[in-house]
Amino acid sequence: MGTLDIMSWLTEDKLLYMLEQYRSLGSIPGIGLAFMKSFVPPLPTIGIVGLNAAVYGLWLGFLYSWIGLVTGCVTTFLVIRKIASHRYLKKWAKRPKVAKSMIWVRQSGFSYVFLLSLFPVGPFVVINMAAGLAGMRLRSYLIALCAGKAIMVFAVSYIGNDVERFIRHPWEVIYVLLFIGLSLWGVKAIEAQFAKAARRNGKGNV
């Protein structure tokens, strides 16, 4: 079975069936499916997060999706940072989209990772690899990634846990958007504090 055949087979109905079938294994299916997203880009993030919320409930579904996505991203980041000097990666880094991403990471790595982690769709593999190749600090990467993924996963889980409710009352999506906005403000405030501390340390080291 080729890659395209596998991806066409992995529909949301099939993923739901798999989660239900192996639910007796506890958190492993939910976390594992989210973890695979970092290595199988075509897997639907919205579908995985929404299904985890539907199968495990809002809070457990959120937790399993968040752990799986964050673990997968960090694994990719650490592996790429470890082998960044490989000639294939150096060649890959010269591609226009990757080179542009690396420029953004070097200029404002925290904002780059955080803001792009807010979106349930996007070039996650490129984001993680660019951050690794650009030598982004692990602490900054983890804070930005964990915060961004938490906001995104909670918003999708909240909707996925009771889709019919939002179909009946679509205006309730405003609460989700408000939560995202407040979270964005909070994380930006944290970033500003880190930037201020970094400037003070830089001056102290001069």
Side-chain angles (χ1 to χ4, degrees):
M1 184 180 288
T3 303
L4 292 177
D5 294 329
I6 294 174
M7 297 319 305
S8 63
W9 183 83
L10 284 174
T11 61
E12 288 193 18
D13 289 338
K14 292 283 177 42
L15 293 176
L16 178 59
Y17 175 77
M18 289 168 59
L19 285 176
E20 292 284 8
Q21 281 289 103
Y22 297 102
R23 192 176 179 181
S24 60
L25 296 176
S27 62
I28 295 175
I31 293 175
L33 195 57
F35 178 84
M36 286 171 57
K37 170 61 188 176
S38 294
F39 304 93
V40 187
L43 284 175
T45 304
I46 294 177
I48 292 172
V49 174
L51 290 175
N52 272 344
V55 172
Y56 294 103
L58 174 59
W59 294 109
L60 282 180
F62 158 77
L63 182 63
Y64 297 161
S65 295
W66 182 77
I67 291 174
L69 289 173
V70 168
T71 305
C73 290
V74 172
T75 300
T76 305
F77 171 81
L78 292 176
V79 169
I80 294 301
R81 199 169 71 163
K82 187 72 174 178
I83 60 174
S85 60
H86 193 280
R87 63 178 185 178
Y88 173 78
L89 285 177
K90 287 183 176 180
K91 183 178 179 181
W92 182 81
K94 293 179 181 178
R95 293 182 178 181
K97 181 184 289 188
V98 182
K100 188 176 182 180
S101 296
M102 289 178 65
I103 292 173
W104 288 343
V105 171
R106 291 188 177 110
Q107 290 177 343
S108 52
F110 187 98
S111 297
Y112 171 80
V113 174
F114 171 71
L115 291 174
L116 292 181
S117 294
L118 286 173
F119 296 96
V121 293
F124 299 117
V125 175
V126 173
I127 295 168
N128 298 321
M129 293 181 73
L133 286 171
M136 185 176 176
R137 292 178 63 189
L138 179 59
R139 186 183 72 168
S140 297
Y141 174 79
L142 281 175
I143 294 172
L145 176 72
C146 290
K149 290 297 184 190
I151 295 169
M152 181 274 288
V153 171
F154 181 79
V156 176
S157 297
Y158 187 69
I159 296 173
N161 183 55
D162 191 358
V163 177
E164 293 183 0
R165 172 185 172 184
F166 286 92
I167 294 176
R168 294 192 306 269
H169 308 290
W171 56 271
E172 291 192 9
V173 174
I174 293 174
Y175 295 136
V176 178
L177 297 177
L178 182 61
F179 168 74
I180 293 174
L182 289 173
S183 301
L184 177 60
W185 175 82
V187 174
K188 292 296 287 183
I190 294 172
E191 180 195 5
Q193 291 299 317
F194 274 112
K196 189 182 296 183
R199 285 196 296 270
R200 284 200 300 268
N201 291 336
K203 289 178 181 179
N205 293 330
V206 174

